[in-house]
Amino acid sequence: MPLFSYHISHEQFAPRDLLGLVQHAEAVGFDAAFSSDHLQPWSPSQGQSGFAWSWLGAAMQATERLSFGAISVPGGWRYSPAVLAQAIATLGQMFPGRLPWIALGSGQAMNEAVAGQPWPEKAERNARLREGAEITRALLAGETVTHRGRVSVVHAKVWSRPEQPTRLVGAATTEATAEWLGGWADGLLTVGTQPDKLRRIVDAFRRGGGEGKPLFLKADLSWAATEAEALEQAHAQWRFNLLGGDLNWELRTPEQFEAAARFVRPEDLHESVLISADPARHAAQLRECAALGFESIDLHNVGTNQRAFLDMAGRELLPALRP
């Protein structure tokens, strides 16, 4: 049976509010929490974007049993791998066993290009991702690292490290990236709610060398009291993630995302968000996804009705997902 985590959406809520929400998630029975790590929100209307790493420390102190995960970018733009490894190791040392994995991706211009370096094409970003991941892995193992390449560190060493290492999981939304990750990442994080699409990504990861490695899923859903409300909040809050192609990785500002998403229709959201007022429907589809072998499934209710969602999840959704 997978763990079920509550999604910490820094783009949608202020850090102080998220602290209360993660405590509420623990109280209603979630196993874990999974945090985004953005510099900017998807849209100016969302209006938030707290610093994930300081928030994670506060959240681990404010909760008792939840494990945590996050997704970040080690490619040397916003974070040097040395800084990222130090952040991971410090949390792991302070809160043993509660940061079992971190997902690493190739990044988005909106968050990473602010460092002022050129923003390259996907192949180059992937190369930087792998270099940064290997540097991070070596630092977490206690090595002193000098590496001069696409990503560089010189005589870097992380001194305060946990006894239990944190796994470095690769993030993929396409079969090609998943297959490439299979050979070197400690596991796979992917996104979706359609079992057939997810199966193809999982198969590609295993085909590339990921057989036997853990799988993690982020599932975007929209629950509300009525079907109309569930659809409306999905469109209001999450249409920015349906742009397709390379736009998600190339756009530079929240204003550009908002402009690019102006033609996304509410009905288009069904392609990537599980939208329903019926907890049983959410549970049935999530069980199909869980059958693919995911170790943990992150539930992201994309609306602003978080406390109502958490109460519903504790009362109906989580019991329906657990045999």
Side-chain angles (χ1 to χ4, degrees), residues 6 9 21 32 67 147 169 177 205 250 265 297:
Y6 173 65
S9 184
L21 289 173
S67 62
H147 177 91
V169 170
T177 300
F205 177 71
E250 301 296 341
R265 303 167 302 172
I297 299 179

Side-chain angles (χ1 to χ4, degrees), residues 43-105:
S43 162
S45 61
Q46 290 179 332
Q48 299 292 337
S49 205
F51 184 55
W53 295 99
S54 54
W55 185 90
L56 283 165
M60 290 183 185
Q61 182 66 30
T63 55
E64 295 181 1
R65 59 173 181 79
L66 295 184
S67 62
F68 286 79
I71 182 167
S72 197
V73 178
W77 289 287
R78 199 161 41 118
Y79 303 135
S80 161
V83 173
L84 186 59
Q86 187 183 30
I88 294 169
T90 297
L91 287 174
Q93 200 278 333
M94 292 174 68
F95 303 98
R98 294 182 66 193
L99 190 69
W101 62 280
I102 292 290
L104 302 177

